[in-house]
Amino acid sequence: MENILEEIKTQFRGMPLFELLIMAALGLALMLFGYRVKKLAFFIIWFLIGYNLMMFLMPVINNMVPQIAGSELYQILLPIAGGLLLALLGFSIEKVCLAGICFFLVMMITVQYFGTSIPTLAIGAIIGVVAGAAATTLMKPAIIIATALAGAYALTVALLNIFPVLDEQILYFPLIGAFALLGTIFQFATTKKVS
């Protein structure tokens, strides 16, 4: 678990402060108002997924194309471009978007906490498909929980990098859990009459 948290911290350590602040603000908005602004929430979630995927792929891209590795502009723009590309895709189709969000959240958790072996990925994919299918049948609760969880993750990662004095070994999971619970309760309380 220590290696996983250090990997997450290292992945975002090089981000400029303004990007971390934007990530924290988007995470907070997503966590508290995800259902009210579904389309925007889907856009933000898909942007965060695309951005994170590109951050994971940057070492591979840097090894394959040395010109990109040497350019600070590419190091900043490629993750943003990956985020925007997935965000535009996810913005368009609500049910597919929700199923995809659930699937990718399960796969991100699988990769980060259980590894990348083939059996582990297969089990994660099966759970992700089941979660996605369940989410499409229970749209409102699934959107609220998915947006609260995704926002909690983004907010937690941003805060741990903005304030490096915070001990991620102790605070990572409690912060995600507390933020997700707070966001879920807040959204259910404020969207009783919203369909």
Side-chain angles (χ1 to χ4, degrees), residues 69-92:
S71 171
E72 187 176 332
L73 180 64
Y74 282 130
Q75 297 298 311
I76 293 171
L77 288 182
L78 282 178
I80 293 171
L84 286 174
L85 185 65
L86 273 183
L88 291 172
L89 173 72
F91 184 71
S92 58

Side-chain angles (χ1 to χ4, degrees), residues 118-132:
I118 299 298
T120 302
L121 290 176
I123 292 169
I126 291 168
I127 293 170
V129 168
V130 170

Side-chain angles (χ1 to χ4, degrees), residues 175-195:
L175 280 177
I176 287 178
F179 287 149
L181 182 62
L182 174 70
T184 301
I185 291 169
F186 182 83
Q187 286 191 62
F188 273 117
T190 60
T191 61
K192 287 179 183 174
K193 297 178 181 172
V194 178
S195 59

Side-chain angles (χ1 to χ4, degrees), residues 1-76:
M1 169 145 128
E2 186 175 319
N3 292 339
I4 294 164
L5 293 176
E6 189 56 39
E7 229 176 88
I8 291 169
K9 186 104 173 173
T10 303
Q11 175 188 357
F12 295 99
R13 192 171 282 142
M15 286 176 69
L17 180 60
F18 78 93
E19 286 183 19
L20 289 170
L21 290 173
I22 290 170
M23 184 175 175
L26 290 176
L28 184 62
L30 188 59
M31 183 181 85
L32 296 176
F33 306 108
Y35 187 75
R36 283 197 177 273
V37 290
K38 288 184 279 192
K39 293 282 188 185
L40 180 61
F42 288 154
F43 185 87
I44 293 169
I45 290 173
W46 280 103
F47 177 82
L48 292 173
I49 289 171
Y51 189 92
N52 282 318
L53 286 174
M54 282 304 293
M55 290 297 283
F56 282 123
L57 292 175
M58 284 307 290
V60 175
I61 294 170
N62 288 339
N63 286 337
M64 292 173 59
V65 185
Q67 294 85 353
I68 291 176
S71 171
E72 187 176 332
L73 180 64
Y74 282 130
Q75 297 298 311
I76 293 171

Side-chain angles (χ1 to χ4, degrees), residues 95 98-100 102-103 106 127-137:
K95 283 192 176 191
L98 179 62
C102 291
F103 178 80
V106 170
I127 293 170
V129 168
V130 170
T136 57
T137 59

